[in-house]
Amino acid sequence: MRSVELVRFAAGAIVAHPLRSVLTSLGVVIGVAAVVMMTSIGLGAQQRVTAAISSLGSNLIIVQPGAARSGGGGGLVFQGAGSSVSLRDGDVDAIARQVEGVVAVAPLVRSQAQVAAGAANWNTRIEGATPDYVVARDLQIAAGRMFDAREARQGRKVAVIGQTVATNLFGAGDPVGQRIRVRAIPFEVIGVLASKGQSSFGQDQDDVIVAPLPAVRSRLVGRRLRGDTVMTIYVKAASDDILDRVQEDVTKVVRQQHKIRPGEDDDFQTQNMASILEASQAAVATFTILLAAVAAVSLVVGGVGIMNIMLVAVTERTREIGLRMAVGARRSDILAQFALEAVALSLVGGLIGLVIGVAGALAMARLGAWPAAIPAWAGPLALGFSMLVGLAFGAYPSWRAARLDPIEALRRE
């Protein structure tokens, strides 16, 4: 039997029962659509996490106090990052002097305060820093300027504000040159930061005021910190190739500054943005694979549906199979015909599912405000897997049809 005739017979059998064919392919449609959508959502989430973590700063190492031991009565409690105060100005100077390959070292203290400008007021995050802070965090000045080293050293009451603060305090007006009151202490706005958006932790990075470190530490943080204490140290490496080496050197220098003996635990923590990004991407990738695997279960269900309907078709068309064998059709022709029908049903379902999956992924990305990430391999993989499902689950019905005895088949009514 020629290939053209096989295709014609298979297509005719499918078209003869349109509703049954549609319902048979429905499982594959749902399975392929679910796999494409789940994969797209996972990859979109991965891109969003990558962008959010990258916005914190490239080649960045964060040093925070923590992992200090405390407790009484012989008990030991390991505290988390930021739970103790152990970083000083001397640590910042030592890192800047002794660690090679460092572009910027920026100490930071932070507080939360009510800020007012005229009749408007806003509760925001106040960060005391040095001019190197904008270099370490890859910040850009959208208007005005950053305070310089002299202003920072003297603790001048000047500030650079984020876009969120500027909008809530000044609306569409120009904040540069205006006065704001931070807990009744006047500061002059000398610059506005370019928008950074949300961080990977959901924090609005534009809802911030950056002012000279001494001014914030003495006037806003006050007795909560010693005069030379810092809460965080940002260290920017020259390139990502030396990031791990710089992190090791920073750890060694701070241990020396804190006189920590070999074998003793650090009273601080260092975090590498590249390692955090890598760990986050691995976690999201695993989650994406899990989602796709769960969605792929419906493909198996669709395959079982195809096998069920093909077995019914073999039973219904037993006499037809006997007639074809009687006029010369070989068992291989019968096998190929029914296998082709199963593959066609599965492939059509895969095509429809692919279209629905892509449309659904784009719609969900728009609703969720995350990147629409549809991989190039999604289409070929979906169609190839659909064909595989058709072959796998159509194999037994096709074999059963080919093994029918022609005489017994002709007797069947």
Side-chain angles (χ1 to χ4, degrees):
M1 187 178 290
R2 293 180 301 176
S3 299
V4 176
E5 292 178 340
L6 284 175
V7 173
R8 182 169 60 83
F9 282 133
I14 294 173
V15 173
H17 303 89
L19 182 58
R20 186 168 71 180
S21 299
V22 170
L23 293 177
T24 302
S25 302
L26 190 58
V28 178
V29 171
I30 295 172
V32 170
V35 169
V36 172
M37 290 176 67
M38 293 301 101
T39 303
S40 174
I41 290 171
L43 292 177
Q46 189 171 9
Q47 291 182 9
R48 188 171 184 177
V49 168
T50 300
I53 293 178
S54 299
S55 70
L56 295 175
S58 58
N59 308 329
L60 186 64
I61 298 165
I62 301 177
V63 186
Q64 290 182 301
R69 296 187 177 192
S70 64
L76 292 176
V77 178
F78 289 87
Q79 302 173 351
S83 56
S84 62
V85 177
S86 61
L87 300 177
R88 309 279 185 237
D89 287 340
D91 301 329
V92 179
D93 297 335
I95 293 171
R97 289 195 318 269
Q98 300 178 34
V99 180
E100 296 182 358
V102 170
V103 175
V105 183
L108 183 77
V109 297
R110 63 176 63 85
S111 182
Q112 195 78 17
Q114 196 74 20
V115 183
N121 65 85
W122 184 250
N123 191 279
T124 188
R125 191 172 70 256
I126 313 296
E127 295 185 345
T130 62
D132 278 347
Y133 181 68
V134 295
V135 179
R137 290 288 311 278
D138 292 336
L139 298 174
Q140 301 293 327
I141 304 297
R145 64 178 179 87
M146 182 64 177
F147 49 83
D148 56 31
R150 181 178 59 84
E151 291 171 322
R153 189 170 55 253
Q154 295 175 352
R156 297 281 299 274
K157 291 182 288 185
V158 293
V160 178
I161 64 177
Q163 294 284 349
T164 300
V165 177
T167 301
N168 284 279
L169 293 183
F170 300 101
D174 184 7
V176 178
Q178 302 293 324
R179 294 273 178 175
I180 58 175
R181 299 183 303 280
V182 183
R183 293 183 188 163
I185 300 172
F187 279 77
E188 180 186 356
V189 178
I190 61 172
V192 179
L193 295 170
S195 178
K196 292 278 282 187
Q198 284 194 338
S199 71
S200 58
F201 310 105
Q203 184 183 56
D204 184 0
Q205 297 183 88
D206 300 324
D207 192 2
V208 65
I209 295 176
V210 183
L213 176 62
V216 175
R217 189 157 53 189
S218 62
R219 297 176 182 273
L220 300 177
V221 179
R223 297 179 181 178
R224 286 180 290 170
L225 292 177
R226 276 180 46 181
D228 63 343
T229 299
V230 297
M231 294 179 177
T232 306
I233 302 174
Y234 291 103
V235 182
K236 184 179 179 65
S239 69
D240 57 355
D241 296 332
I242 62 172
L243 196 58
D244 291 334
R245 193 266 298 166
V246 170
Q247 183 176 2
E248 292 177 4
D249 292 346
V250 168
T251 301
K252 291 177 183 177
V253 168
V254 179
R255 282 180 64 89
Q256 292 172 359
Q257 286 292 115
H258 293 191
K259 296 180 173 56
I260 299 174
R261 298 174 182 174
E264 291 184 345
D265 295 310
D266 296 338
D267 61 353
F268 63 94
Q269 292 184 1
T270 59
Q271 291 180 307
N272 179 332
M273 283 295 103
S275 61
I276 293 175
L277 178 59
E278 184 178 349
S280 300
Q281 288 178 333
V284 175
T286 301
F287 185 62
T288 302
I289 293 172
L290 177 62
L291 288 175
V294 172
V297 173
S298 55
L299 274 173
V300 177
V301 175
V304 172
I306 288 175
M307 177 185 286
N308 181 47
I309 294 301
M310 292 305 298
L311 286 172
V312 172
V314 170
T315 303
E316 289 180 347
R317 295 158 60 187
T318 300
R319 187 172 179 81
E320 173 193 332
I321 295 170
L323 284 172
R324 289 187 179 173
M325 287 184 171
V327 296
R330 295 168 297 179
R331 293 186 185 275
S332 59
D333 295 329
I334 303 298
L335 180 70
Q337 178 188 342
F338 279 86
L340 190 60
E341 288 182 25
V343 171
L345 285 170
S346 184
L347 189 57
V348 170
L351 284 168
I352 297 172
L354 179 61
V355 173
I356 294 174
V358 170
L362 294 174
M364 293 184 70
R366 176 168 293 185
L367 290 174
W370 63 65
I374 301 173
W377 46 261
L381 182 65
L383 298 180
F385 204 74
S386 298
M387 291 181 65
L388 184 61
V389 167
L391 283 172
F393 288 92
Y396 175 68
S398 302
W399 175 84
R400 186 169 175 178
R403 298 302 300 173
L404 286 175
D405 185 282
I407 298 174
E408 293 296 328
L410 285 170
R411 288 177 180 175
R412 192 76 58 89
E413 292 294 336

